[in-house]
Amino acid sequence: MGLTPLALVGGTPHDTDRYNNWLEGRLAEISPLLVANPVWSDAMMGEVFGHPWLSQTYASMPLQAAVPVLTNEIKAYLATSVLDDRKADAHWFQRRIPVIRYLVEEGANLLQHFEAGCLADIPHPGFGTSESGGARNHNDAVLERYAAWYSANYERRRLSQTRQWIRDGEIVTTQYRSPEVQLFGDIHRFAIINRAQMAPMHDRDIILLNDLYSEEDTRFRDRQRRSDTYLNFLCVEPWLRPLMRGFLLDKVAHGELAPSTLVGMQSRLRFFAQFLHAEGITEPARVNELSMERYLAWGNAQNAAGKNWYTDIVQLMRAAPVLLPGQWPRITLDKRAARRIRYKQAPDDPRNRLYASREGANRAAPPEALSAMVARLDEMPAPIPAIFMIGITTGARAEDLHALLFDCLRPDPHDKRFMLFTFWQNKVSRWNTKPLLAADPAHQAMIELIEAQRDRVRRRHGRATKYLFPVFYGKRESFLGQNWTMQELKKLCLKHRIVDGDGRPFDFSWHPLRHHRGTQMAAEGHDILSIMFELGHASPDMASMYVNQRLDLKKNALLRKGGGQFFTIAGKVDEAVGDLLLRKETMLATRVCGGACTLPGQLGEWCEHAHACLTCRFFRADGDDVEHFRCERAGLYAAIEGLEQEAQNYEEGGQTRMADITRKRLQRNKDAVHNTDTIIRSIEEHGLYKGEKQRYRPAAAREEATS
């Protein structure tokens, strides 16, 4: 067999010696015994790690290979694994005995075959350049050699197996190497990642996210279940690495990227690197405005999803001359170019996706499919039914839903009628507390689900855990993975032939449950602020994107309450407010007590002028809230009487300034009473303002039309 076509990860004889010395230094920091002993004795295991079962696993197995650097790579892999609480399990190490045996017995031949000085020098597709696409599989040539040795020494072990998974609503069967064979790929990947840590942070080609984030980024550590996340710059050309590395590190330093967002942005940078490779661009000087024009066309031809694949690169090009002055040119980019991003054509509509997203899009899970799934949930293993029902009720994001804390539900200390359901929203880094009314059937069902899950956890683990849906890897507790639950629910849909609104097999995923909840709340009459608080968005603008089926909602609004049921304080009808409360493009109205506020400057904020709505020209009174205004008027009359007496007392006491202030407050309340009377009269007169040209039918006529 010849060399693999992949370029070597790197390394020269001199680099190999330096790498070997660095490995010995890392091992000596843990314990000098790790460097001096070729066999892990009982005494060393107890002194260094405190795990007596390790000596039973490896005591009869020498760790010294024919190549010294390979010996240190083996020891570094095992020592790092022992110190990882996710791998503090005898079974984890027992499964890797064949891998260590192979490296000790055949490691020298393996390195010679690939003309490599160490394990980290052997090519790996996951650390190739843009030409290889940054694949994450293993080196097939390496695994074939290991599989041949493995089958000769462990005859009864399997070398391959099949797996079923979901793609486009269908079950797909694939065949792949058994995990026992792929274990060798783990140590190969570890060696490459470990060697990259020799360089200082600003020069590393592989950066572990553990070095960038801490537990202040909630759930970051628990999210890394079996292996640590990393940034891989080996997948791009060397001349691009300094810019892309500096760009991402600068954003992390300024708190602009969360761990998951950082990984996503790097994938978009890799997409740009693939374009440059295809164009034959090999130096910064050749990247210009024309290159960005060609990139836009190239991305459109590739049917790239969304728009961040282009806008993120615009950020990169603007930052390049600042991060690397004198190396990258300053180019002028037109902000309007993003408008030319070609969205995927909607398959069932001659118009484009942009139209669909504004008017006809429905990313919400179809209610019919959800009802069919609920009827079959008893077939699902625990705790999937509980997670599914909590997701429908709250609309929480998938990861937040699976990572609920054990104590997420507590009694309301101020009102015994409520329970408080609290969860952390990782995307926006804030807590969201939802009150659950015990008398509400849906809320009561959710309370019972959580309590039942708590009891299940206590019975299984004998204690209260950190998470409501815990899983354990070694000694580290994590939360149940959303991909497993999603695949199980997809199989349920296929098994029972559950279809969506168009009659196609329903391809379940978690995120449409958020859209379902937002759309459901809008249909029930909740305002955009309530939807924003429920879904945990930072602004009404974002919450509006989760209100789907907008055409149906507009029809229901017209049938239910008419298009002219919002009034100014002068009693005039403002027919536009109902639409403004749900439109994203010109979000100019937000719900307030008794109606809506159309002051753009107050969007998403609390008004500075508390209790001033009834004298504010931006206030729009809701025609359905006539009883609210009657109560307000009664309260205003009582306030006026009190203020008149208060002003008189100030005048008699010679407190002229306080008397003037009180008189102004008194006049303000009188103005509010006058406006309230006007609003009530307008609502009572069949919802129409008398005095201008009428633009809407009387309420009675609307009712006749709907009967």
Side-chain angles (χ1 to χ4, degrees):
M1 294 179 63
L3 278 174
T4 177
L6 292 170
L8 289 179
V9 172
T12 65
H14 173 71
D15 290 335
T16 302
D17 292 339
R18 188 165 59 90
Y19 174 46
N20 187 39
N21 293 335
W22 180 79
L23 284 173
E24 288 188 355
R26 293 286 295 269
L27 292 170
E29 288 179 2
I30 300 173
S31 173
L33 296 175
L34 294 177
V35 179
N37 290 279
V39 177
W40 288 17
S41 63
D42 291 348
M44 187 179 75
M45 288 298 97
E47 179 180 340
V48 179
F49 299 118
H51 294 308
W53 45 263
L54 274 176
S55 62
Q56 300 170 6
T57 304
Y58 289 96
S60 60
M61 183 191 310
L63 302 180
Q64 190 167 6
V67 181
V69 66
L70 185 56
T71 300
N72 286 330
E73 284 182 313
I74 295 171
K75 290 181 178 179
Y77 175 68
L78 291 174
T80 302
S81 301
V82 173
L83 296 174
D84 191 334
D85 59 356
R86 294 167 295 184
K87 301 164 185 174
D89 177 72
H91 178 66
W92 192 94
F93 289 91
Q94 289 169 355
R95 291 186 64 202
R96 282 151 180 82
I97 289 177
V99 173
I100 305 303
R101 278 191 56 196
Y102 173 74
L103 286 174
V104 171
E105 297 174 8
E106 299 292 330
N109 294 332
L110 179 70
L111 297 182
Q112 183 179 4
H113 174 79
F114 286 98
E115 299 180 2
C118 59
L119 190 60
D121 274 346
I122 298 177
H124 191 293
F127 302 95
T129 58
S130 303
E131 185 177 4
S132 65
R136 293 183 177 274
N137 56 330
H138 301 296
N139 186 324
D140 289 335
V142 172
L143 293 192
E144 284 177 8
R145 293 180 66 86
Y146 176 66
W149 177 90
Y150 186 80
S151 61
N153 290 272
Y154 298 89
E155 296 179 358
R156 297 181 181 178
R157 305 289 180 90
R158 57 185 178 179
L159 297 179
S160 63
Q161 61 187 55
T162 59
R163 179 172 69 95
Q164 289 187 330
W165 53 290
I166 305 295
R167 182 175 64 189
D168 298 330
E170 300 291 338
I171 294 183
V172 179
T173 301
T174 58
Q175 189 166 0
Y176 64 103
R177 298 184 187 275
S178 70
E180 286 78 9
V181 174
Q182 294 192 55
L183 285 176
F184 185 82
D186 293 341
I187 190 172
H188 184 198
R189 182 190 295 110
F190 170 83
I192 296 173
I193 295 174
N194 193 41
R195 185 176 64 173
Q197 310 313 303
M198 291 174 59
M201 179 72 71
H202 60 273
D203 288 332
R204 287 182 192 171
D205 289 329
I206 302 174
I207 299 178
L208 292 168
L209 264 62
N210 287 333
D211 295 330
L212 301 178
Y213 295 98
S214 66
E215 273 308 282
E216 293 180 1
D217 303 282
T218 304
R219 293 205 302 262
F220 166 66
R221 184 171 179 267
D222 294 340
R223 196 189 300 118
Q224 301 189 82
R225 292 176 174 82
R226 290 186 174 88
S227 59
D228 294 325
T229 312
Y230 55 86
L231 297 177
N232 175 20
F233 297 101
L234 288 168
C235 62
V236 301
E237 303 292 343
W239 66 277
L240 280 172
R241 294 172 192 170
L243 173 61
M244 293 186 173
R245 180 169 49 230
F247 177 68
L248 293 179
L249 292 180
D250 181 69
K251 281 190 166 292
V252 171
H254 288 86
E256 297 177 8
L257 291 177
S260 57
T261 311
L262 175 63
V263 175
M265 177 168 280
Q266 193 198 26
S267 68
R268 294 186 285 275
L269 298 184
R270 185 183 301 125
F271 188 67
F272 181 60
Q274 292 171 6
F275 159 76
L276 295 177
H277 181 82
E279 289 284 306
I281 297 176
T282 58
E283 58 182 5
R286 295 182 58 189
V287 181
N288 51 35
E289 290 86 347
L290 183 59
S291 302
M292 292 300 293
E293 285 291 320
R294 291 200 299 269
Y295 177 61
L296 181 59
W298 184 80
N300 283 334
Q302 296 283 328
N303 289 322
K307 63 180 182 180
N308 287 348
W309 61 268
Y310 178 77
T311 56
D312 283 352
I313 304 307
V314 171
Q315 291 185 48
L316 178 72
M317 290 297 98
R318 288 175 178 165
V322 178
L323 294 172
L324 299 172
Q327 300 181 38
W328 281 81
R330 187 179 299 274
I331 61 178
T332 304
L333 297 173
D334 189 352
K335 295 181 180 179
R336 296 173 297 176
R339 299 178 184 176
R340 290 188 279 118
I341 294 174
R342 186 184 306 154
Y343 292 91
K344 294 180 181 178
Q345 198 75 11
D348 54 351
D349 198 302
R351 292 159 291 198
N352 59 24
R353 177 181 170 186
L354 188 59
Y355 168 83
S357 66
R358 288 178 175 171
E359 293 293 337
N362 181 18
R363 297 178 64 190
E368 303 84 359
L370 295 182
S371 298
M373 293 180 69
V374 170
R376 303 285 185 176
L377 277 182
D378 57 346
E379 301 178 18
M380 292 283 94
I384 293 179
I387 298 175
F388 184 84
M389 295 307 301
I390 295 173
I392 286 182
T393 307
T394 64
R397 294 180 181 87
E399 182 184 289
D400 300 338
L401 179 63
H402 286 72
L404 294 175
L405 296 179
F406 189 87
D407 60 351
C408 62
L409 185 66
R410 294 181 177 180
D412 187 343
H414 306 294
D415 193 334
K416 295 182 179 179
R417 296 173 298 173
F418 290 92
M419 297 286 285
L420 299 181
F421 174 68
T422 304
F423 60 96
W424 176 257
Q425 300 174 116
N426 210 57
K427 183 176 181 179
V428 294
S429 299
R430 66 181 60 163
W431 292 97
N432 190 354
T433 298
K434 174 182 173 63
L436 301 179
L437 181 61
D440 182 271
H443 288 182
Q444 180 59 35
M446 181 172 159
I447 293 171
E448 292 175 355
L449 283 173
I450 294 175
E451 293 293 356
Q453 175 62 18
R454 284 173 168 172
D455 292 340
R456 187 179 299 111
V457 170
R458 289 192 185 98
R459 289 194 301 270
R460 180 173 181 179
H461 301 287
R463 59 181 177 85
T465 53
K466 177 180 179 180
Y467 292 107
L468 185 62
F469 307 110
V471 290
F472 288 86
Y473 298 92
K475 293 183 178 180
R476 181 182 299 185
E477 177 185 347
S478 183
F479 49 89
L480 193 64
Q482 65 195 56
N483 289 333
W484 175 74
T485 58
M486 181 177 68
Q487 291 297 329
E488 291 298 314
L489 289 167
K490 282 188 175 186
K491 291 178 182 178
L492 178 74
C493 295
L494 288 171
K495 176 182 177 181
H496 296 286
R497 298 182 180 180
I498 297 174
V499 297
D500 59 19
D502 298 323
R504 295 174 297 191
F506 179 46
D507 192 10
F508 174 82
S509 61
W510 284 109
H511 196 68
L513 292 189
R514 281 177 64 74
H515 288 264
H516 169 77
R517 180 58 181 156
T519 304
Q520 181 187 52
M521 291 184 67
E524 293 172 353
H526 292 275
D527 58 81
I528 201 67
L529 271 182
S530 298
I531 298 172
M532 180 186 80
F533 292 144
E534 176 78 0
L535 298 182
H537 288 125
S539 69
D541 183 70
M542 177 56 71
S544 70
M545 296 300 294
Y546 286 75
V547 177
N548 305 148
Q549 300 174 335
R550 298 189 187 183
L551 186 58
D552 291 339
L553 290 173
K554 291 177 182 178
K555 290 177 181 177
N556 292 336
L558 287 171
L559 294 173
R560 179 170 59 88
K561 55 190 294 186
Q565 284 277 0
F566 284 90
F567 303 84
T568 69
I569 58 175
K572 298 180 181 180
V573 173
D574 186 345
E575 71 277 4
V577 175
D579 189 43
L580 291 179
L581 282 169
L582 285 177
R583 262 172 60 199
K584 173 184 183 296
E585 296 82 8
T586 53
M587 179 70 71
L588 296 177
T590 186
R591 278 284 188 175
V592 294
C593 187
C597 176
T598 61
L599 180 60
Q602 299 300 147
L603 180 63
E605 304 288 345
W606 296 114
C607 182
E608 299 175 355
H609 312 290
H611 310 298
C613 290
L614 293 174
T615 58
C616 178
R617 63 189 177 90
F618 293 105
F619 177 66
R620 299 295 182 268
D622 191 336
D624 282 354
D625 284 345
V626 63
E627 292 301 325
H628 164 79
F629 295 108
R630 287 174 178 157
C631 294
E632 285 289 306
R633 182 172 58 182
L636 287 168
Y637 280 140
I640 287 172
E641 291 179 3
L643 288 171
E644 285 179 339
Q645 183 61 48
E646 186 178 340
Q648 182 178 348
N649 293 339
Y650 282 135
E651 289 172 349
E652 292 175 354
Q655 296 177 277
T656 307
R657 184 172 179 276
M658 291 301 300
D660 291 341
I661 293 174
T662 305
R663 289 291 179 188
K664 290 179 180 178
R665 293 170 58 197
L666 177 61
Q667 185 58 46
R668 192 78 169 176
N669 280 271
K670 288 181 178 180
D671 292 341
V673 167
H674 171 76
N675 295 334
T676 306
D677 287 336
T678 303
I679 291 170
I680 293 174
R681 286 197 305 271
S682 299
I683 295 174
E684 289 175 342
E685 291 174 353
H686 303 291
L688 293 176
Y689 173 68
K690 301 298 184 180
E692 289 188 353
K693 181 180 179 180
Q694 306 305 311
R695 301 181 62 181
Y696 299 92
R697 294 176 295 168
R702 289 198 299 272
E703 292 173 0
E704 292 175 0
T706 59
S707 62

